[in-house]
Amino acid sequence: MARRRGLRRLAVLVLALALVAGGVYSAVFFLQRSETLVSERCRAVIGERTSELAPDQAVNASLITAVAVQRGLPPRAASIALATAMQESKLRNIDHGDKAGPDSRGLFQQRPSQGWGTEAQIMDPYYAANAFYDALVKIPGYESLEITDAAQRVQRSAYPTAYAQHEEMGRTFASGLTGQTPEAVRCTLRAAGAGGDTAALSAELNQAYGPLGTAVEGETLVVEAAGSQAWSVAQWAVANAKGFEVLQVDVAGRSWNRESRDGWQASAATDGQVRITVAAEGAGS
C-alpha cells in the first residue's frame, strides 16, 4: 500500500513538472511568435499628417537628410531629395536601372554615362546624396520651387510630374530628421538581437553628420549636440535602431524606448547631449 501511494505521488510530481515545462515552453513560444507578428515600420507624425516607411527605407532617408544637415542646407533641400529618391528607387540602394536608363544605379538612379560618377561611387549612398545636393544647389531659387519642379530640374526624368506623389512623405520625414520637428520620427521594431556596437554606430553617425563630439559609457554612445541638431541626431538614431540594435534614445527631456513601442515619452534626459543605448553583448541570444 505504501509503495502504491509513493508511485501515485511520483506520478503526480511528474505530471506537475510536465505541466510547468509545457507552460514555460508555451510562454516562450507565445513570446517568440508575438515578436514575429510585430509589423516593423517607421513613421513621421506632424500634426494631422503621418507618413510611413519600412525600416530599411528610413535608414536611407536618415542618411540623405543628415547629409543636408551636415552641408548646412535648409530642410526644403532634404524634402526634395527624399521625394526624388522615393520616386527613383523607393528609397532603396538598387544596383540596376530600367529601359530608359539601363546604367542607372543607387538611391537616385544616377547614371555614369551622364557624368554622375562611377558605378561604385553612385552605389555609395553618402556619395549619391552629396552628388544630388551638388546639382540641386546650382538651381537658382530651388527653395521656392515646387518639390516636383526642383526634382525634375536635377533628374531630367521622363516622368516629370511623378515626384509630386511623394511630397508629403518628403516634407514630414525631412522635418523630423532635420530636427525641425522634435519627436516626429518613431519606429516600431521587434526586440533587439545580438549586442550593439557603439564604435560602428559612432563611425556611421560621424560620416552622416561630419565630426561630432562623442564618448562611450558602457553600452551608451553620448553625442554632444543641442537644439535642432540634437533632435536630428536623436531621430537619426531611431531610424537606424534596427541595424544597430538600439534600445533607447534620450534627448532634451524625452526618450524613445524600443521595447515600450509607445513613441517618445517624458524622461530625465538632459539638454546638450543625445544618449544612444544599444543592446549589451549577448542580449537576445
Side-chain angles (χ1 to χ4, degrees):
M1 182 69 72
R3 183 171 179 273
R4 192 173 298 170
R5 284 198 296 271
L7 289 174
R8 286 200 193 101
R9 290 195 188 100
L10 179 61
V12 170
L13 177 61
V14 170
L15 178 60
L17 290 173
L19 290 171
V20 169
V24 170
Y25 174 81
S26 297
V28 171
F29 178 77
F30 174 77
L31 289 173
Q32 290 175 336
R33 179 168 173 76
S34 66
E35 281 296 313
T36 64
L37 293 175
V38 172
S39 177
E40 295 192 306
R41 64 192 186 281
C42 293
R43 293 176 295 151
V45 181
I46 299 177
E48 299 297 318
R49 295 181 297 159
T50 299
S51 297
E52 187 170 300
L53 293 174
D56 65 314
Q57 293 174 306
V59 168
N60 289 321
S62 72
L63 173 63
I64 291 170
T65 306
V67 172
V69 172
Q70 180 184 159
R71 294 175 61 130
L73 299 177
R76 183 69 168 181
S79 298
I80 296 166
L82 292 180
T84 301
M86 176 58 88
Q87 173 58 30
E88 297 291 352
S89 69
K90 301 300 181 188
L91 272 169
R92 294 187 166 105
N93 197 31
I94 54 179
D95 62 356
H96 59 82
D98 54 27
K99 291 181 180 179
D103 65 334
S104 299
R105 297 290 186 274
L107 291 172
F108 296 93
Q109 286 291 278
Q110 294 155 334
R111 302 179 63 182
S113 62
Q114 293 185 350
W116 284 101
T118 67
E119 182 174 331
Q121 287 174 322
I122 291 169
M123 286 300 297
D124 174 0
Y126 180 76
Y127 173 93
N130 271 297
F132 179 86
Y133 290 128
D134 286 345
L136 179 65
V137 297
K138 292 176 183 176
I139 299 171
Y142 75 86
E143 303 97 323
S144 59
L145 294 175
E146 291 293 328
I147 287 179
T148 189
D149 188 12
Q152 172 61 10
R153 294 196 191 189
V154 174
Q155 299 295 107
R156 303 186 184 280
S157 169
Y159 307 97
T161 62
Y163 304 106
Q165 62 189 310
H166 307 298
E167 286 187 9
E168 182 162 309
M169 181 282 300
R171 287 196 184 98
T172 52
F173 270 94
S175 186
L177 290 168
T178 59
Q180 297 303 303
T181 301
E183 57 190 281
V185 177
R186 65 282 305 264
C187 294
T188 301
L189 303 170
R190 300 185 187 112
D197 186 340
T198 53
L201 176 62
S202 179
E204 192 75 16
L205 190 63
N206 277 282
Q207 182 186 47
Y209 287 92
L212 295 169
T214 61
V216 175
E217 296 179 4
E219 278 74 48
T220 299
L221 179 68
V222 182
V223 184
E224 298 301 323
S228 62
Q229 185 186 47
W231 274 106
S232 179
V233 169
Q235 293 181 93
W236 177 96
V238 172
N240 285 268
K242 181 178 174 66
F244 285 105
E245 307 296 357
V246 173
L247 295 179
Q248 184 162 312
V249 180
D250 299 291
V251 58
R254 307 294 288 176
S255 293
W256 171 87
N257 183 281
R258 183 182 187 133
E259 294 181 353
S260 72
R261 296 172 182 148
D262 290 328
W264 291 91
Q265 303 295 316
S267 76
T270 59
D271 291 330
Q273 61 178 213
V274 181
R275 299 179 65 88
I276 308 169
T277 303
V278 301
E281 191 65 38
S285 60

